[in-house]
Amino acid sequence: MTAITTRAVGSSPTRIEGTAKVTGAARYSTEQDHLGDVAYLWPVPATIAKGRVEAVDSDAVAGLPGVLAVLTPDNAPRLETPDDAELAVLQDHEVSYRGQFVAAVVATSLETAREAAASLHITYAEVPHDSELTENHPKLSKPEKVNPAFPTDTEDGDVDAALAAAAVTVDATYRTPPVHNNPMEPHASLAVWLGHELTLYDSLQGAFAAQQALAKLFALPPASVHVINEHVGGGFGSKGTVRLGAVLAAMAAREVGRPVKVVLGRQHMFTVVGYRTPTIQRVRLGADADGQLTAIEHAAIEQTSTVLEFAEQTTVATRIMYAAGSRRTSHRLAALDVPTPRWMRAPGECPGMFALESAMDELAVATGVDPVEIRIRNEPDVEPESGKPFSSRNLVACLREGAERFGWAARDPRPGVRRDGRWLVGTGVAASTYPSYVGPSTASAAAEPGGGFVVRISAADIGTGARTVLTQIAADALRVRVEEVRVEIGDSSFGQAALAGGSMGTASWGWAVTRAGERLRAALDEHGGDGRLEVHVDTAEEVKARTGFAYHAFGAQYAEARVDLDTGEVRVPRLLGVFGVGRIVNPRTARSQLIGGMTMGLSMALHEEGVLDPAFGDYVNHDFAGYHVAAAADVADIDAVWVDEQDEHVNPLGVKGIGEIGIVGTAAAVANAVFHATGVRVRDLPIRLDKLLGGLPG
Amino acid sequence: MKPFRYARPGGVAEAVRSGAEQPGSRFLAGGTNLVDLMKLGVERPDLVVDVGGLGLDEIVVDSGGGLRIGANVRNSDLAVHPAVRRELPMLSQALLSGASGQLRNQATAAGNLLQRTRCVYFQDVSKPCNKREPGSGCPARQGDHRNLAVLGGSAACIATHPSDFAVALAAADAEVAVTGPAGERTLRLDELYLLPGEHPERETSLAPGDLITAIVVPPLPFGTTSAYRKVRDRASYAFAVASVAAAIDVTDGVVRDVRIALGAVAPKPWRAHRAEDALRGLEPTASAFRAAVEAELSVAEPLPDNAFKLPLTANVVVSVLSDLTGASR
């Protein structure tokens, strides 16, 4: 071992597990092949939207060769009451939404389980349901707080007076449809019991939190539950907490006395894993003739289920974006007979900024001020809501850098006037933002007898590159080369750590890994490098002490849109994001995160929509033929860059999260470009050809 | 998946015999649609007769430029065949606009023709569907019908046929060669596909055991002036929301002959005979094209969410024919 001075942070090593993944050597959760006879569980979704299960007739199924168990509300093992009501699977006979799991079959093969599940005869007592969110829904009410713990409403100054006095106003209603989490790897769980000890291999975004939740559900000491999530094929928030599949797997494995696998089918992904609520958002802006805002009002309407209250924080970004004399934000929620909406990449900021940043474009048009300039004019000195200084804020730098790179200066503001053959061409811009969260984490670091170091932390790499960047961070803290460090993640036995969620992984885990590395380095320097040495750290105190600033990342996204005059088909040949996101640990994986978010934002802009059939109360296009996500051909010249941003307040590494900001603002940038191309303002996503066709110039 | 027997016949006659003897049997070729439907429980065959080993995978070009396409020719092979690209570009373009590269490598020519509708209600066994379960009802009229039929539907069913290839074949007057228990016969595409009427469960005139062995495309001298245009909700890997296959022969400044077929608007590839008749003898102008397609669409019965298909289809017909003839717009 040789202490070195070159830093690994800032370099671009390839993913450490990349070769293992592409060669198949990496084992995802249900790919453990050392467990012997594994059984398979297939869940049975309710075919009514509201009512009760009266009976599950399993006689015809129970005798089939290969069927090991039929779990029903009548015979399923009782669980302790969970904090998350969605997890109380098969604990009662209530049906709260179509697709809710009401039974499950365990069999020796997947095909047998699935066929038996399809053959179960279930009778229901059905009652009328109400699944359609509307602007004036009688069930709309004010939630106590919005996710995770923001005030539901805020008011600052006299919005009504400012609007009445404003030289220019915008008053528009924007709608976003339900959009569905569909990581490439569906939720996948494999449970194994050894006596009273449960081991769960799962695709979750946080092993430690899952361990705690499962221990509670099954009335076990946490030490008797071991959760392993070594490799995870995407999550977007839908795997943030322990989910139904894990509970069913654990329940069933104990019943049948052998390991049980549960891998959700694609159709299940549209009901039981949480999706982004539809929103109806009214935005009112007041400004003087030069586009200086005097009033911002942002009111969101959204839905939750009757199982639990999830209130997305749709308007919180509006509280911090722009300087204005007065601001009012609110959320109203209707508990409908629908699947429970939950977290999906940038909950709140993503749909909220579609509305706000579309409205800012409308204000730019109304005032004749350039869309980039109007945002710069409304840049606040401090966080508008709290009055706190920003730990760093580089929205203006991002807007300017983007304008330069994109060639914005020559832009003719008139809509609908540029043609290239049968294409109409336009450009648009929007701002991005996402909070820079951090969570307490523990980590350990040890010098290994044979040389080298091992760092252990219960982090999750959901495809982000977390394992790789933590290795870089550990190497720097230890002052050694990355090749000398092995970072082990994805194991609840490594102790408490933050989730791979809220874009806080690198900040939170990196903090703990830094402290562990530094402490081990110091111990080694003191005691010498021989022998076995291991240190444990916990950042709880340090993290709690972070205060005094407003912590957010910002960015600007530029889009070019082309719209076919004959068909209304939209193409986005160019998409550029410029971000101020603190220190970049690994440019290669960072760019991948940012353009991944932008691609998902493009997908939201043009394609994604869960189509509700109110008669059934479910999302009927529940597969990849019916529910479109952007295909490779939809993504042309896409790039993400970042401005130099040094933030000494945000956390010791100076990093901000980059997992979610890329999806924030993209849809508005695209919608604004489509308006510039066509003169048609689409305020309800996705921007499909039938919404444009009637309004295109002849 | 329901347990089923699996047979690999040694020849066409044996395949036909197996298929005819066992009610509820299905022929398996590429499997890109059938296997999905079996997993969903939409198809529940007792016997799967795998015709993948029967050969039937040659493309024969006759001296006049006509084609005989073996039933098992892969979509991707057919799309790049030099004679297809030369004589009937619309056929190649239609194939390449369908599905994805991986699926085209697997899917066969005859399988493409016999794929089932992607109507969401048909594919979800927890919901009623007259096509899947006769008499159970059709939720689409009141529900999700944005991509369903505006032409040729019935009170019982407004499902659309999803194939691109079949639309181009319809424009080319193609036939299918069928071997059945009673011997061989050929069917025009118009005879192969049935409109739903009161029996949407009957999609084709094929009887149990009938096996398509080839697709026969007669020579089309002006097929070189043909094109297929597909409009869809994303740039690739999506079913059409409107499509047009057209070939046109302009001689001495007038339309001597024209073929137009429409996709994604009807339960079968929709040959626009009315529009063709209206155009013959006229000067090829954008306004003539528009009047012709509007005549065709005058019998349409749109619903609230699919009414956009009428102006869209009209625009695409005008666009394709204008591009083929150089008519100014």
Side-chain angles (χ1 to χ4, degrees):
Chain A
M1 183 215 55
T2 319
I4 56 160
T5 49
T6 30
R7 294 179 64 85
V9 168
S11 66
S12 280
T14 56
R15 282 175 167 76
I16 284 165
E17 73 288 354
T19 303
K21 279 183 176 169
V22 299
T23 57
R27 297 291 169 182
Y28 286 77
S29 55
T30 54
E31 296 179 326
Q32 315 302 321
D33 50 10
H34 60 281
L35 296 172
D37 277 346
V38 169
Y40 300 81
L41 180 146
W42 192 259
V44 182
T47 57
I48 63 166
K50 189 175 188 176
R52 284 178 59 78
V53 174
E54 290 210 309
V56 180
D57 178 3
S58 55
D59 289 354
V61 166
L64 290 177
V67 171
L68 300 172
V70 179
L71 299 176
T72 74
D74 297 310
N75 69 8
R78 297 300 99 181
L79 301 167
E80 299 297 311
T81 305
D83 297 330
D84 176 348
E86 272 286 331
L87 298 183
V89 60
L90 307 182
Q91 298 300 292
D92 63 36
H93 293 74
E94 292 299 312
V95 176
S96 302
Y97 57 85
R98 190 182 177 98
Q100 191 172 20
F101 293 162
V102 292
V105 176
V106 190
T108 52
S109 76
L110 177 62
E111 290 75 13
T112 302
R114 192 167 178 172
E115 176 63 16
S119 314
L120 274 184
H121 186 63
I122 300 178
T123 48
Y124 297 97
E126 188 175 3
V127 298
H129 65 271
D130 178 2
S131 304
E132 196 168 14
L133 182 68
T134 56
E135 237 164 318
N136 300 305
H137 200 285
K139 285 186 181 156
L140 284 171
S141 67
K142 181 181 169 184
E144 268 183 38
K145 60 180 172 61
V146 295
N147 177 62
F150 288 106
T152 303
D153 296 355
T154 60
E155 183 145 17
D156 188 6
D158 190 340
V159 169
D160 296 324
L163 283 170
V168 183
T169 57
V170 168
D171 180 352
T173 298
Y174 304 89
R175 291 162 196 271
T176 61
V179 286
H180 296 270
N181 279 304
N182 272 295
M184 211 184 317
E185 178 200 34
H187 293 55
S189 311
L190 170 54
V192 188
W193 288 89
L194 196 64
H196 295 291
E197 307 271 313
L198 169 65
T199 301
L200 178 76
Y201 300 87
D202 207 305
S203 60
L204 295 165
Q205 291 170 234
F208 182 80
Q211 176 201 36
Q212 303 301 307
L214 285 168
K216 188 169 178 203
L217 269 177
F218 287 91
L220 296 166
S224 297
V225 179
H226 188 190
V227 178
I228 296 167
N229 58 341
E230 188 182 1
H231 298 291
V232 180
F236 308 122
S238 70
K239 298 172 178 172
T241 54
V242 74
R243 307 319 300 257
L244 285 179
V247 180
L248 284 171
M251 200 186 255
R254 197 153 63 174
E255 283 297 292
V256 302
R258 63 166 104 177
V260 170
K261 277 188 196 187
V262 181
V263 180
L264 294 188
R266 190 53 70 185
Q267 284 81 3
H268 300 141
M269 298 291 290
F270 290 80
T271 49
V272 300
V273 308
Y275 57 99
R276 195 190 301 287
T277 176
T279 69
I280 304 169
Q281 305 177 56
R282 185 179 181 194
V283 179
R284 291 200 292 169
L285 303 178
D288 67 18
D290 295 328
Q292 183 72 54
L293 285 164
T294 55
I296 305 174
E297 178 174 48
H298 190 171
I301 288 169
E302 50 203 42
Q303 74 189 28
T304 187
S305 72
T306 62
V307 177
L308 61 79
E309 180 174 295
F310 180 81
E312 181 148 338
Q313 70 275 36
T314 305
T315 73
V316 295
T318 300
R319 298 172 183 171
I320 61 105
M321 276 306 294
Y322 296 115
S326 63
R327 270 182 324 282
R328 182 159 61 208
T329 67
S330 66
H331 300 84
R332 295 295 177 269
L333 191 65
L336 303 176
D337 304 312
V338 293
T340 308
R342 300 298 274 273
W343 311 275
M344 180 171 181
R345 207 171 196 170
E349 285 81 10
C350 177
M353 287 288 278
F354 164 66
L356 179 65
E357 289 299 292
S358 292
M360 286 299 283
D361 199 65
E362 299 207 47
L363 184 66
V365 171
T367 55
V369 178
D370 177 79
V372 173
E373 174 61 24
I374 203 167
R375 289 174 170 86
I376 293 172
R377 280 185 197 175
N378 288 289
E379 175 74 0
D381 297 327
V382 294
E383 189 186 57
E385 185 181 33
S386 67
K388 286 181 183 175
F390 290 99
S391 66
S392 57
R393 171 169 169 138
N394 278 300
L395 175 56
V396 171
C398 291
L399 285 163
R400 291 201 165 119
E401 176 74 18
E404 177 68 28
R405 287 172 177 261
F406 197 75
W408 187 264
R411 183 180 188 260
D412 176 348
R414 293 174 301 156
V417 298
R418 284 152 301 277
R419 289 199 186 184
D420 179 4
R422 299 295 291 173
W423 292 96
L424 295 162
V425 183
T427 52
V429 64
S432 307
T433 187
Y434 194 80
S436 302
Y437 293 122
V438 65
S441 297
T442 61
S444 69
E448 297 200 282
F453 301 88
V454 59
V455 174
R456 295 189 175 93
I457 184 163
S458 180
D461 190 329
I462 61 172
T464 54
R467 184 182 277 103
T468 307
V469 302
L470 292 178
T471 306
Q472 294 172 255
I473 291 165
D476 281 0
L478 287 160
R479 286 183 268 127
V480 298
R481 293 177 299 116
V482 290
E483 292 78 10
E484 294 179 70
V485 180
R486 191 175 82 250
V487 171
E488 296 183 354
I489 62 172
D491 191 322
S492 62
S493 69
F494 299 158
Q496 185 276 332
L499 292 179
S503 295
M504 65 174 143
T506 302
S508 310
W509 306 323
W511 196 330
V513 165
T514 296
R515 292 297 182 245
E518 288 169 349
R519 189 173 302 176
L520 180 60
R521 175 82 270 154
L524 287 167
D525 288 348
E526 195 176 326
H527 304 297
D530 301 330
R532 209 178 174 85
L533 206 51
E534 179 163 351
V535 301
H536 292 262
V537 300
D538 184 344
T539 61
E541 291 302 315
E542 266 194 286
V543 166
K544 207 158 67 181
R546 184 182 85 147
T547 183
F549 291 90
Y551 308 97
H552 304 275
F554 293 89
Q557 299 199 30
Y558 289 80
E560 177 181 329
R562 296 165 83 86
V563 178
D564 188 297
L565 260 174
D566 296 312
T567 66
E569 286 169 293
V570 181
R571 299 286 181 266
V572 177
R574 283 197 296 155
L575 199 53
L576 170 69
V578 183
F579 300 96
V581 284
R583 173 180 286 155
I584 295 296
V585 177
N586 181 326
R588 181 195 308 270
T589 54
R591 180 174 180 279
S592 170
Q593 280 289 286
L594 292 166
I595 65 171
M598 291 165 67
T599 300
M600 210 162 164
L602 172 70
S603 192
M604 173 193 184
L606 299 183
H607 308 302
E608 296 192 39
E609 177 180 20
V611 177
L612 175 79
D613 184 337
F616 296 98
D618 73 345
Y619 301 108
V620 293
N621 56 334
H622 49 207
D623 59 36
F624 280 165
Y627 184 90
H628 286 174
V629 297
D634 291 292
V635 184
D637 175 359
I638 186 169
D639 202 6
V641 298
W642 39 88
V643 297
D644 184 40
E645 183 176 276
Q646 291 171 29
D647 188 330
E648 61 196 36
H649 307 298
V650 68
N651 53 57
L653 285 164
V655 300
K656 293 178 175 177
I658 53 174
E660 288 161 277
I661 191 170
I663 198 178
V664 179
T666 323
V670 172
N672 297 343
V674 167
F675 170 79
H676 189 233
T678 63
V680 181
R681 177 71 65 181
V682 179
R683 298 188 182 88
D684 58 328
L685 296 179
I687 306 167
R688 278 194 320 241
L689 57 94
D690 39 325
K691 296 177 185 174
L692 293 168
L693 200 56
L696 298 178
Chain B
M1 192 180 285
K2 180 179 148 187
F4 58 89
R5 287 189 300 117
Y6 172 81
R8 253 186 108 76
V12 168
E14 190 188 336
V16 168
R17 206 162 46 242
S18 298
E21 279 169 5
Q22 175 71 53
S25 65
R26 287 287 181 271
F27 290 125
L28 172 73
T32 57
N33 189 208
L34 177 64
V35 175
D36 281 354
L37 292 174
M38 287 169 70
K39 288 182 183 174
L40 293 172
V42 175
E43 289 278 15
R44 297 177 61 79
D46 296 305
L47 169 67
V48 171
V49 181
D50 187 341
V51 297
L54 299 183
L56 307 175
D57 55 359
E58 289 187 356
I59 302 168
V60 179
V61 186
D62 68 36
S63 52
L67 301 167
R68 187 179 177 90
I69 302 160
N72 279 338
V73 172
R74 303 287 157 176
N75 284 203
S76 44
D77 292 337
L78 181 57
V80 299
H81 193 279
V84 175
R85 295 173 62 180
R86 187 176 62 241
E87 304 295 333
L88 283 165
M90 65 179 170
L91 216 56
S92 176
Q93 291 162 10
L95 285 160
L96 290 176
S97 73
S100 65
Q102 295 92 328
L103 286 167
R104 293 193 296 270
N105 286 342
Q106 176 71 11
T108 64
N112 186 317
L113 298 189
L114 296 181
Q115 63 178 308
R116 313 294 302 275
T117 184
R118 266 39 174 219
C119 174
V120 296
Y121 302 102
F122 173 71
Q123 295 185 97
D124 183 346
V125 296
S126 76
K127 297 188 176 109
C129 168
N130 287 324
K131 183 184 283 297
R132 197 186 62 242
E133 230 182 291
S136 62
C138 173
R141 281 179 179 275
Q142 302 298 320
D144 179 25
H145 58 254
R146 177 176 173 269
N147 208 14
L148 299 185
V150 293
L151 288 163
S154 69
C157 184
I158 50 170
T160 40
H161 194 269
S163 172
D164 296 298
F165 179 43
V167 178
L169 286 177
D173 272 340
E175 299 177 328
V176 290
V178 176
T179 301
E184 297 179 16
R185 67 189 194 280
T186 58
L187 296 168
R188 296 192 318 272
L189 280 204
D190 245 10
E191 297 168 321
L192 171 68
Y193 293 118
L194 306 174
L195 288 177
E198 290 175 13
H199 291 285
E201 74 280 9
R202 283 169 27 198
E203 294 177 355
T204 71
S205 53
L206 298 176
D210 278 351
L211 179 69
I212 296 177
T213 56
I215 298 164
V216 181
V217 187
L220 183 65
F222 58 97
T224 49
T225 310
S226 72
Y228 183 76
R229 175 135 184 224
K230 175 178 183 175
V231 180
R232 45 190 150 178
D233 284 327
R234 62 180 167 190
S236 175
Y237 199 20
F239 292 98
V241 290
S243 75
V244 173
I248 190 163
D249 175 9
V250 176
T251 305
D252 300 330
V254 297
V255 177
R256 201 178 60 82
D257 201 358
V258 62
R259 305 282 178 76
I260 304 169
L262 310 177
V265 289
K268 64 178 188 176
W270 191 263
R271 182 69 181 272
H273 290 293
R274 214 183 249 103
E276 293 175 7
D277 293 344
L279 274 177
R280 281 191 199 94
L282 297 187
E283 283 182 36
T285 64
S287 57
F289 300 148
R290 188 164 294 277
V293 65
E294 281 173 357
E296 185 71 41
L297 297 174
S298 64
V299 297
E301 295 179 53
L303 291 165
D305 295 339
N306 65 8
F308 74 95
K309 289 192 174 212
L310 302 181
L312 177 62
T313 299
N315 286 358
V316 180
V317 167
V318 173
S319 165
V320 169
L321 292 176
S322 298
D323 286 351
L324 287 174
T325 58
S328 64
R329 308 182 58 192

